[in-house]
Amino acid sequence: MKLSIIIPVYRVEDTLDKCVESVLKQDYDDMDIILVDDGSPDDCPQKCDDWAKKDTRIRVIHKANGGLSDARNTALDIVHGDYITFVDSDDFISLSTYGPLMDTLSKRQDIDILEYPVFINYRSPKQRKLDFTEETVYDNISDYWYKGQAYLHSYACNKIYRASLFEEIRYPKGIVFEDIHTLPLLLKKAKTIMTTDKGLYYYCQNPSGITATADGNALRMLLQPHVEIIKDSNFLDRNFQTYYLHVLNIQMDVFEQAGDDPILPHIHLNPQYFNGKQQFKAAALNILGIKRLCITNKILHKFWRSR
């Protein structure tokens, strides 16, 4: 089974070699590696060409700058693999990652998406490891999203996808937090998902990245797909309400930073499902409603910052 590995490249001349080396050193040979030079103004275009000369599994695309989504989409149009994965060029992969993962997929050919551990914000004060202690198979995709809290780790890069999932799906151009826009679309086509403790992806912190510098407009883009999911959901159990509180936090941030009227539908929550601050927030939402809760939250933040 061939694995296509898509690596967008833009202004990463200091990290590109480490990234590509980590892929080439994997214990799996049947790889189709696509380096997408997204109009990088540094030495990256030459580095990409140099790597292609060293290993015949590497193909290079040079294109005008169009952003991360456009770079991924350009590669998706020419992939050869049965399965697809993504690596950001300022990140890297642990040794012996793809071999065990592809072995799992060869044994379980019903799996459409295989998710594996990721070190988030590696080598930063906020670093943490998202781990899966054992293999868990989700035949009910809603269980993966709500019970498995997939909405907290919608990253594109720590997953291997059946290539056919992308036949009619592409990443949205001009949108930040593009992963959270795309994963729900893939989940609608997927039938079986597995999480595993095998392998490790190192997601390195970028101080100038969107997750570190998100403004009101970026947070709007983060909020929208979550709101659409909640509008389409008929769940009211504890797992759904935990998700709802997560989205409510984003809604309050959008109101505080951008001043937009709330777009999140109001749902009456059961405070007994929660503890501590979450329980208080659920009760406050029931009493105040979304907009007055957003106003109160903004006033309180302003007060604490002025102290």
Side-chain angles (χ1 to χ4, degrees), residues 165-191:
L165 293 179
F166 282 98
E167 285 179 356
E168 298 177 355
I169 294 175
R170 292 294 184 267
Y171 286 89
K173 298 178 184 179
I175 296 290
V176 295
F177 296 110
E178 62 286 325
D179 295 347
I180 193 62
H181 284 260
T182 308
L183 181 59
L185 301 178
L186 297 170
L187 295 182
K188 287 182 178 180
K189 296 183 66 176
K191 294 181 179 179

Side-chain angles (χ1 to χ4, degrees), residues 3 17 45 68 74 91 95 98 106 112 114 130 142 152 155 167 179 184 188 192 226 231 240 249 251 291:
L3 175 64
D17 289 344
L68 177 61
T74 300
D91 300 336
L95 294 175
Y98 289 152
S106 70
D112 294 309
L114 178 61
L130 170 65
S142 293
L152 295 179
Y155 319 112
E167 285 179 356
D179 295 347
K188 287 182 178 180
T192 305
H226 287 298
K231 285 180 178 178
F240 172 80
N249 288 333
Q251 176 65 86
K291 185 165 185 178

